Amino acid sequence: MTTERKKMGIEKFISVYFSNLGKFILVNLIFALPFALAFGLCFLLCKFLLPYPTLVLPFTVVLAAPFYSGVVVVSKNIYYDEVNSGIITEFLSAVKENFKAYILHGIVAYVAFVGCYHGMVIYNTLTQLSPVFYVMLVVSVLLALFLLFFLFGLPMMSAFFDLKLKDVYKNSALMTFGEIKANFIAAAGVVVYLAVLSLPVMAFILLAFVWGEVVSLWAIFIYVALAMLLLVPSGVSAIITSTIYPDMKRVISGEAKKNLEAIRKEEEEEKITVEESTPEFSDIDIEALNKSSGEYVFYNGKMIKKSVILEELKEREEK
């Protein structure tokens, strides 16, 4: 049964992806311009001011992150056939709505990548001195895996649900473990997708014996650039979204419903308590109550929500 569902999911993705390939390519082309500008700026900075490639070049992620929100939102809309106002319009709207949050996400992704990369390089080198550092290397790899899965869910959690920023990060971290199976499937899907795209590279390497090394290297460079430009961003985003988003929506929507029911129940209980204990509020000074700070007031030995008292007084006046 499980195998059948997975197969159907793969078949659905292939069908939807290739039937909307032109739209996915358009999304990539829109994203390509800000990404190229961000990378060019970091490249110039690295070449002339800060010659530290592994620190400066990854900063491209921070500069391009707000525009990646357009890729995430529009790729999801294309996949689920929810594009209503045009791809370009929805892309720009997503960037505008998520700009500040995605800047922060980009900083988190940058720190995660730079920290994990240098940590693994350093501990891998130190393993030659002592086997103890193998433990630290394994910890670094596991941390990198956790952060990868965390960054799978973070862009979707931020763009698709109306949550406070702290809740976005908290829920993304929880879903890293809670949806670990879906995260591994998404990671495997991305690896397979990139592996398929790399097949022409293998062909160009073999053809070096025929064309010569220089021609083969140029062919590889051009192909990789075109693949990154036309296929990779929205393709990867669509794979992650199609795998993780359904469960994420179910979990977040379920929690929102429970929270709403709990709030309503609490307000009803408070209202009943008010009605039972203080039926008229005849001695309440409404003007002083409105000017008071805080959400609750102390009345007749109990903490009562100010909005409940005002609502009760308004209803009595209307009667």
Side-chain angles (χ1 to χ4, degrees):
M1 195 77 172
T2 306
T3 305
E4 184 181 348
R5 285 199 297 270
K6 287 182 182 178
K7 184 178 179 182
M8 290 174 63
I10 293 171
E11 290 175 352
K12 179 183 177 182
F13 174 81
I14 293 173
S15 174
V16 173
Y17 181 75
F18 283 102
S19 61
N20 293 279
L21 185 59
K23 294 178 181 178
F24 284 117
I25 290 175
L26 177 57
V27 173
N28 290 331
L29 286 172
I30 299 171
F31 176 67
L33 178 59
F35 181 83
L37 291 174
F39 180 79
L41 180 62
C42 291
F43 179 80
L44 292 175
L45 187 64
C46 180
K47 186 173 180 62
F48 296 107
L49 291 177
L50 298 171
Y52 307 104
T54 57
L55 291 176
V56 177
L57 294 182
F59 197 76
T60 302
V61 173
V62 179
L63 300 179
F67 302 95
Y68 184 68
S69 66
V71 176
V72 172
V73 172
V74 179
S75 296
K76 175 254 185 183
N77 290 348
I78 293 172
Y79 187 83
Y80 290 103
D81 195 22
E82 297 174 352
V83 178
N84 298 315
S85 55
I87 290 175
I88 297 176
T89 302
E90 292 193 3
F91 188 101
L92 296 176
S93 177
V95 173
K96 182 179 179 181
E97 291 176 6
N98 298 282
F99 196 93
K100 291 182 180 179
Y102 267 68
I103 282 285
L104 179 59
H105 302 342
I107 294 172
V108 171
Y110 169 79
V111 172
F113 172 80
V114 171
C116 289
Y117 171 79
H118 286 91
M120 286 187 285
V121 169
I122 291 171
Y123 289 128
N124 184 55
T125 304
L126 291 175
T127 54
Q128 300 175 11
L129 301 178
S130 172
V132 174
F133 289 105
Y134 278 108
V135 176
M136 301 306 298
L137 179 60
V138 171
V139 171
S140 297
V141 172
L142 292 176
L143 178 61
L145 191 63
F146 166 79
L147 291 171
L148 176 66
F149 291 166
F150 174 74
L151 292 170
F152 276 179
L154 181 62
M156 290 184 287
M157 189 78 70
S158 178
F160 302 151
F161 302 98
D162 187 16
L163 300 172
K164 294 180 180 178
L165 200 58
K166 65 176 183 178
D167 292 327
V168 168
Y169 278 84
K170 181 188 74 174
N171 290 333
S172 298
L174 291 174
M175 288 198 70
T176 299
F177 298 105
E179 299 296 329
I180 188 122
K181 182 180 177 181
N183 283 318
F184 271 110
I185 292 173
V190 171
V191 170
V192 171
Y193 179 73
L194 296 177
V196 171
L197 290 181
S198 67
L199 290 177
V201 174
M202 304 300 295
F204 292 141
I205 293 174
L206 294 174
L207 287 171
F209 296 101
V210 180
W211 296 346
E213 186 177 339
V214 175
V215 175
S216 182
L217 287 174
W218 272 105
I220 292 172
F221 175 79
I222 293 171
Y223 171 77
V224 170
L226 289 175
M228 291 291 295
L229 177 70
L230 302 176
L231 300 173
V232 172
S234 63
V236 170
S237 179
I239 291 171
I240 297 172
T241 300
S242 64
T243 307
I244 299 176
Y245 174 70
D247 289 335
M248 180 182 288
K249 183 179 180 181
R250 173 180 54 79
V251 171
I252 299 301
S253 299
E255 288 183 357
K257 187 176 180 181
K258 288 179 182 178
N259 291 337
L260 182 60
E261 290 175 351
I263 290 170
R264 287 176 176 172
K265 184 178 179 181
E266 183 182 346
E267 289 180 347
E268 286 296 326
E269 290 175 351
E270 288 177 353
K271 191 171 182 180
I272 292 172
T273 302
V274 170
E275 289 175 351
E276 291 177 349
S277 60
T278 56
E280 293 185 1
F281 300 112
S282 56
D283 56 341
I284 290 285
D285 186 341
I286 298 178
E287 185 177 351
L289 183 64
N290 285 323
K291 290 181 179 179
S292 64
S293 60
E295 190 177 354
Y296 289 82
V297 295
F298 190 76
Y299 184 79
N300 279 0
K302 296 182 179 180
M303 294 299 293
I304 302 175
K305 206 169 186 178
K306 189 164 64 176
S307 61
V308 174
I309 299 175
L310 292 172
E311 184 180 349
E312 180 67 20
L313 291 174
K314 184 178 179 181
E315 289 179 359
R316 294 181 186 277
E317 287 179 2
E318 291 175 350
K319 291 178 181 179

